Amino acid sequence: DLSGAIVMADDLERPQHTVRVSSMYDATGLYLALEFDDLTSMVNHIDPKTSPGRAWCGDAVQLRFCTAAEGAKPTPMQIIHVDAYWYTEGKQASAYVVYGDLSPGGKTAKVIEEAAGHGAQLAFRPTADGTGYVQEMRLDWELLRPGGKAYEAGQAIRMVIEAMWGDDRYKDQPATRVADLLNPSLPEREMLWTNPPAFGSVQLVDHGNLPPSDTATLWEKRVRRVAEAPKAAEAATTQEAAAALNRPRLQTEEPVARQLNEWFAEGSAAGNIADYYDNRDRNHSAIALRDYPQLRLLEYTPGAKLANQDYGLFTGVRPQVTFGNSSTASMADRGGSNPRHAMMHPMGMFMLHGQYRGSNLYVYPGHHDYLPGHNGHGLYGDLLPLNSPYVLISKGSSGSDIPFLNAAIHTVAALRPEVKRILIREGLLMPTLQAILRSSNTQVASPEDYFSGKAHPAVFEGKQIDELKMVQAAHALTPQTIPPLAQVRIVREDTVQPGINAPEGTPTERLCDTPGVIGRVHRRWERTMRMTVSAADSTDRMGRPLTFRWALLQGDPQRVRIEPSDDGRQAQLTLAWHDRFAVQPGSPMETNRVDVGVFARNGVAWSAPAFVCVYYPDNELRTYDDHDQLVDVFYGAGDTVIGYSTPLVLPAEGFGPYDVRDWGALLRAAAGEGEGLLQQLFKPAINDTQRASIRVVRQEMETLGAKVQARPDRAGVAFARDLNRRREGLRREAEECGQPLLQPNAQLGASVKGFLEGILNAWKDDPAFYVQRHVALDAAIAKCDPAVRLEIAQGRKRLVDLGIYRPAATGDGWELYSVRLGNAPVSERLTRYEQLELKRFHLLLLNQVVLPGILSREYSVNVVDHRLVQSQPYWFTFLSGPDATSRPSVTRRQTDPVFKPKPLEDP
């Protein structure tokens, strides 16, 4: 009975790889029939005797079962993994079974290296028309439930199916993989072997002749396609069939694929012949290799895999055209993404430059190195110390790299044969590809945009790729229109002098000097860094004279001066200290790096940029006077901002709590309800109209919350035994109930969240917050627990010890003091470090005294790669001499315990 069949496919609209799966059962076991659509049927070279457990490298099916009761945590013997396939050389069916949790740290309970004939029976048959094969199997109930009862009608078994297609070109991974029969509440297809909650459900019923599944029409499409196409066995000889595969893309429906195949057929496109793909995350995030018949897989020996030479950042140069990726990374505060590891290695950028000129392109996700936030408050912002044309960094995590790989492979395939040969021979393939990608970016709306940060971010987003524009630009290239190569080198620069213009022991400011990227770290105490940079080493393959354009791609135009020479071949760069800033105006992404780009033009085309990058460590907090003299610098700066951008501001199980823990209490106090210190502080900050608006929002939230609680399916969400289903449901509910806080409010001029957090931050940032309110605050402090009183006393003493607080000259209380002397009010003379220490103390007061139980915001030290940090948390103060030529006297104080950097991890 095939009526209950489901159809698994790689694409719902235009399926190229399909398998119809039918099932029945009886008192002895579960029966499965899998009808594969496959022109290279039953090709699997994995010997079950010598390589058990590697069936997934060719034609195979992997079944995964969970026999635990719904909601119960499975034991290792209740998670079963079955690999079933036809071993081509041995002409035999084979089944490999593992019992256990295969996730990291999981336990394997039992392995059956050959289950065929020992609880599993299998049979295989190619279809008569040569377009596929049928695989049938029976799995005994005893195999699935050792020592347990057989399943019966009315029961269900959790299960997922992974189908693999392989052929003789792919001996170390499947050419295509399709997974289905998933839990609809957790449709996660990646790494299913580690994720039993994603397994779907098979219902055992007591009758047949079931209604067709939603996917049944996919098999009808397959049948029609086979009927309309010539029979594979009759259409061609083996050589002709191989020739039919000799095209850049198997699929032809997509505009890019159709265009590539047409160009290749007419001989005007080179295709990907002799190009290689290098996957370095063990197929965690991999291209659909079978869609690229000409692309070869770079294979690793068992010894290389054992030594992890197939994993993570690639540190060599391949002798052939290679596209690679590795969706792996360390935590942001433990070393970060693969590109950041390369940027921090003494020879890392030289290695990446070798790949750039050696026709190798690797794509790595930025992971948490490039997502809005600060110090994990949200996330971290831009943590990359360099911008580079040597690699491509994708915004996001696993899978974000695939669109860039596809686009790069297609673009190189579109090149004319003679152009591709020239580019490879002269080391210009990847520089040209980078120029095409950056000029085709959807952010580039005008030619002028190419010379802005829009075209050259450190990290690219997949949605900005215009793949058709890229392949058309590549195909239009001729030997005469190949872009030049921009290269840079330092001619002159100031140097850091430890003990004179920087702390003793300060390392070099040089991060890298490579032809495409110059990197510096601003460590000197002077406000500006000056360097003369030459682009004279830039080249054009035809020897044509070059013109140059220098551009500030990222940074404050008021703090960066670029002065090109008359011929543009070199430029004087003057870069002043930058505090953290937005990568582009209005962007939520912040950075500490300035990027200057230089572009070369040969009369017909502009090059990809070469970069000069200067990084300003986020752990340094500096104050300069009006004469650009340093007043003080602190080497342990942190962040006190209350609130960050997120749709999840209410509590939800499994998600980190937001700074404001009790919005109801905060809204009531802001609306003027009740009495207490918080209400007193809010009173002058909020007018009657604003209070009324806040009350409306509070009522909206209460109404929404009541509706959610009353939903018929509420219990199924709140008490679901499936952990992931419960957490996802509660997260959606929390986002829904929190929406009134996030909507723009005309009376407030912002959202309620933004308005109230603005008031809290204003209190915290006001230097006189405690000084002017110490009577009321001290009265509230006196009512706190002893531990809280002690913590606040220690915080106040810290300010006294630092000289920021002094006993008031008249009466009780305190007055402010600053190391910066002058006639202006002291509140205007406070240095940025002194202000930071006051903010830390005020944040403590808000957490513990003003908003206890409502606000929980810990002070956090700014995250800087430990390989860039130059000093312990010292506070240096500078007292200028009597005249301009006198060297200022320097005082150093250690303000915090010595840092103990966390050990770094390889990505």
Side-chain angles (χ1 to χ4, degrees):
D1 185 345
L2 307 181
S3 65
I6 64 170
V7 181
M8 299 165 49
D10 57 344
D11 189 288
L12 293 179
E13 299 299 324
R14 296 184 294 272
Q16 299 296 312
H17 308 291
T18 55
V19 55
R20 182 165 65 166
V21 186
S22 308
S23 180
M24 297 183 73
Y25 72 98
D26 62 17
T28 60
L30 178 70
Y31 296 77
L32 292 168
L34 299 100
E35 302 167 85
F36 278 87
D37 176 1
D38 191 351
L39 295 177
T40 57
S41 298
M42 296 160 56
V43 176
N44 194 313
H45 302 290
I46 299 300
D47 188 334
K49 293 181 180 178
T50 60
S51 301
R54 294 188 56 77
W56 51 269
C57 292
D59 287 350
V61 63
Q62 292 190 309
L63 308 173
R64 307 190 189 280
F65 300 89
C66 180
T67 60
E70 180 66 28
K73 183 177 181 180
T75 67
M77 286 298 291
Q78 291 177 317
I79 306 175
I80 305 100
H81 310 266
V82 180
D83 296 358
Y85 69 108
W86 178 262
Y87 173 38
T88 305
E89 281 75 12
K91 297 181 179 179
Q92 69 182 73
S94 181
Y96 173 80
V97 178
V98 177
Y99 298 85
D101 179 2
L102 301 185
S103 62
K107 180 181 179 182
T108 298
K110 181 180 178 181
V111 176
I112 305 175
E113 292 193 355
E114 186 53 83
H118 303 281
Q121 295 186 30
L122 301 98
F124 293 79
R125 173 174 55 80
T127 56
D129 60 10
T131 63
Y133 70 99
V134 178
Q135 175 180 355
E136 293 186 5
M137 71 179 81
R138 186 186 80 189
L139 303 176
D140 293 347
W141 293 129
E142 180 67 24
L143 183 75
L144 299 179
R145 302 176 91 180
K149 291 177 58 178
Y151 279 90
E152 300 173 349
Q155 294 183 311
I157 182 171
R158 289 169 59 194
M159 175 183 174
V160 73
I161 303 172
E162 297 185 79
M164 279 75 179
W165 283 259
D167 58 40
D168 284 325
R169 293 174 300 130
Y170 309 103
K171 295 187 174 135
D172 199 43
Q173 68 168 332
T176 299
R177 167 180 170 268
V178 174
D180 214 331
L181 195 59
L182 302 174
N183 177 358
S185 298
L186 188 68
E188 174 58 62
R189 284 180 164 79
E190 294 299 329
M191 301 180 70
L192 277 165
W193 57 94
T194 70
N195 195 9
F199 297 0
S201 179
V202 178
Q203 307 292 325
L204 276 65
V205 295
D206 60 2
H207 60 280
N209 299 315
L210 303 176
S213 68
D214 294 340
T215 56
T217 55
L218 294 176
W219 195 252
E220 297 171 7
K221 289 182 180 180
R222 185 260 182 192
V223 172
R224 285 198 302 271
R225 189 175 76 243
V226 171
E228 294 168 0
K231 299 286 179 61
E234 301 171 0
T237 62
T238 303
Q239 292 77 12
E240 289 169 337
L245 292 176
N246 187 18
R247 58 179 187 261
R249 286 295 303 273
L250 279 182
Q251 298 186 31
T252 58
E253 295 87 349
E254 300 170 0
V256 169
R258 183 169 60 249
Q259 188 74 82
L260 286 175
N261 289 337
E262 289 175 0
W263 286 335
F264 184 80
E266 70 186 23
S268 66
N272 295 118
I273 296 172
D275 297 347
Y276 279 77
Y277 171 57
D278 179 16
N279 178 267
R280 298 185 56 79
D281 56 26
R282 295 166 190 167
N283 292 312
H284 167 62
S285 176
I287 64 171
L289 192 56
R290 182 164 181 163
D291 287 346
Y292 297 92
Q294 297 171 335
L295 197 62
R296 303 181 186 181
L297 176 67
L298 198 148
E299 301 185 59
Y300 291 87
T301 66
K305 292 178 180 178
L306 191 63
N308 283 331
Q309 294 176 13
D310 67 327
Y311 199 75
L313 176 70
F314 178 55
T315 58
V317 180
R318 306 288 182 198
Q320 60 279 102
V321 175
T322 302
F323 305 94
N325 71 307
S326 183
S327 279
T328 57
S330 301
M331 296 170 61
D333 58 351
R334 302 289 293 274
S337 64
N338 284 299
R340 179 146 68 97
H341 276 269
M343 293 171 184
M344 293 292 92
H345 191 279
M347 295 299 294
M349 293 303 289
F350 286 101
M351 173 269 295
L352 294 183
H353 177 258
Q355 295 176 4
Y356 184 57
R357 298 302 306 278
S359 301
N360 294 184
L361 177 68
Y362 283 81
V363 185
Y364 302 102
H367 194 48
H368 289 173
D369 278 0
Y370 198 87
L371 289 171
H374 197 200
N375 304 326
H377 202 222
L379 282 163
Y380 294 88
D382 180 6
L383 292 179
L384 298 167
L386 297 171
N387 198 340
S388 167
Y390 301 158
V391 295
L392 279 176
I393 309 176
S394 60
K395 187 176 181 180
S397 299
S398 298
S400 64
D401 43 353
I402 300 304
F404 293 94
L405 283 167
N406 292 333
I409 294 167
H410 292 155
T411 301
V412 169
L415 293 167
R416 295 179 180 276
E418 67 275 18
V419 171
K420 185 176 179 181
R421 286 194 296 270
I422 292 170
L423 293 176
I424 295 171
R425 183 178 67 242
E426 301 189 14
L428 297 174
L429 181 64
M430 295 313 169
T432 300
L433 175 60
Q434 286 278 5
I436 291 172
L437 169 72
R438 293 161 185 266
S439 60
S440 302
N441 190 326
T442 59
Q443 298 287 92
V444 180
S446 68
E448 192 64 21
D449 284 342
Y450 186 64
F451 307 101
S452 73
K454 294 179 181 179
H456 311 287
V459 175
F460 288 83
E461 293 190 57
K463 66 182 181 181
Q464 296 170 354
I465 298 173
D466 189 335
E467 200 170 314
L468 185 59
K469 187 175 180 180
M470 288 178 66
V471 298
Q472 290 172 341
H475 192 252
L477 282 179
T478 67
Q480 291 74 36
T481 59
I482 292 173
L485 176 69
Q487 300 191 116
V488 287
R489 59 180 169 83
I490 292 288
V491 177
R492 290 183 303 276
E493 65 179 324
D494 302 334
T495 58
V496 67
Q497 302 174 64
I500 298 176
N501 68 349
E504 292 283 357
T506 295
T508 177
E509 293 182 310
R510 183 177 294 111
L511 197 53
C512 71
D513 281 292
T514 64
V517 182
I518 292 171
R520 295 291 183 267
V521 181
H522 190 133
R523 302 192 189 280
R524 67 194 65 193
W525 287 330
E526 288 94 348
R527 191 167 200 161
T528 57
M529 173 183 286
R530 295 177 180 84
M531 63 182 79
T532 302
V533 181
S534 171
D537 295 339
S538 302
T539 62
D540 175 65
R541 62 170 300 270
M542 299 184 69
R544 290 168 290 196
L546 297 176
T547 57
F548 299 91
R549 181 159 177 177
W550 300 76
L552 177 62
L553 303 178
Q554 180 170 282
D556 183 352
Q558 302 300 315
R559 295 173 180 265
V560 178
R561 188 165 69 249
I562 303 173
E563 302 172 279
S565 60
D566 292 340
D567 60 5
R569 294 169 67 85
Q570 69 179 33
Q572 173 78 31
L573 306 183
T574 305
L575 305 99
W577 176 268
H578 278 60
D579 296 310
R580 192 173 180 86
F581 60 95
V583 294
Q584 296 294 333
S587 172
M589 183 73 67
E590 294 182 332
T591 186
N592 292 84
R593 188 191 65 254
V594 168
D595 295 335
V596 174
V598 58
F599 304 81
R601 182 172 176 83
N602 56 14
V604 293
W606 284 104
S607 69
F611 291 94
V612 179
C613 305
V614 179
Y615 181 78
Y616 301 87
D618 199 27
N619 68 306
E620 298 186 25
L621 196 58
R622 299 181 175 211
T623 298
Y624 290 94
D625 65 20
D626 295 338
H627 304 288
D628 287 340
Q629 298 300 308
L630 192 60
V631 178
D632 72 343
V633 56
F634 176 57
Y635 290 93
D639 179 22
T640 63
V641 174
I642 297 169
Y644 53 92
S645 178
T646 174
L648 189 63
V649 295
L650 296 180
E653 180 183 340
F655 297 87
Y658 188 68
D659 292 352
V660 177
R661 303 296 173 86
D662 190 341
W663 280 102
L666 184 62
L667 292 172
R668 287 191 293 273
E673 300 176 21
E675 294 181 356
L677 178 60
L678 180 57
Q679 285 83 349
Q680 294 175 29
L681 292 173
F682 268 139
K683 190 172 183 179
I686 304 175
N687 62 38
D688 290 341
T689 301
Q690 293 168 335
R691 288 192 191 93
S693 183
I694 291 171
R695 289 191 195 101
V696 170
V697 169
R698 179 169 62 82
Q699 291 166 359
E700 289 177 359
M701 292 183 64
E702 291 175 353
T703 302
L704 265 176
K707 286 182 178 178
V708 167
Q709 292 288 338
R711 284 175 180 165
D713 63 344
R714 182 64 181 43
V717 172
F719 303 104
R721 294 182 177 180
D722 185 308
L723 178 64
N724 291 297
R725 177 171 175 259
R726 182 173 72 243
R727 287 181 172 176
E728 177 60 19
L730 294 175
R731 180 192 65 80
R732 287 197 300 267
E733 289 182 356
E735 286 192 6
E736 181 181 352
C737 292
Q739 278 304 301
L741 292 169
L742 305 176
Q743 299 302 317
N745 187 300
Q747 284 72 33
L748 304 179
S751 67
V752 172
K753 170 184 176 294
F755 177 75
L756 293 180
E757 289 175 348
I759 293 175
L760 301 185
N761 278 304
W763 292 342
K764 169 184 61 69
D765 296 343
D766 178 5
F769 175 72
Y770 174 71
V771 169
Q772 292 180 348
R773 301 173 179 87
H774 75 91
V775 174
L777 287 167
D778 286 347
I781 293 168
K783 299 175 183 178
C784 294
D785 291 338
V788 173
R789 295 201 303 269
L790 176 61
E791 185 178 7
I792 292 171
Q794 291 173 338
R796 186 169 49 212
K797 183 178 183 299
R798 174 186 175 90
L799 292 173
V800 173
D801 292 342
L802 290 171
I804 300 171
Y805 273 180
R806 289 184 175 181
T810 59
D812 295 333
W814 307 88
E815 62 183 18
L816 298 171
Y817 182 79
S818 174
V819 297
R820 178 157 50 173
L821 304 178
N823 297 322
V826 67
S827 59
E828 298 176 11
R829 289 187 278 113
L830 290 168
T831 69
R832 299 180 68 236
Y833 170 61
E834 292 168 338
Q835 294 175 34
L836 173 65
E837 288 293 352
L838 289 166
K839 292 175 185 179
R840 289 181 64 176
F841 181 57
H842 297 161
L843 184 61
L844 174 63
L845 292 173
L846 292 177
N847 279 321
Q848 302 285 21
V849 181
V850 181
L851 299 109
I854 298 176
L855 177 69
S856 181
R857 168 64 165 106
E858 296 295 326
Y859 172 77
S860 56
V861 176
N862 294 342
V863 172
V864 177
D865 195 298
H866 295 299
R867 295 159 289 193
L868 288 174
V869 174
Q870 76 169 75
S871 175
Q872 299 297 341
Y874 293 136
W875 180 26
F876 288 83
T877 56
F878 302 81
L879 183 62
S880 298
D883 57 67
T885 61
S886 301
R887 182 180 299 173
S889 61
V890 182
T891 302
R892 186 187 76 175
R893 297 181 63 180
Q894 184 169 326
T895 63
D896 294 271
V898 174
F899 284 152
K900 293 182 179 179
K902 300 174 183 178
L904 296 177
E905 298 174 342
D906 285 332

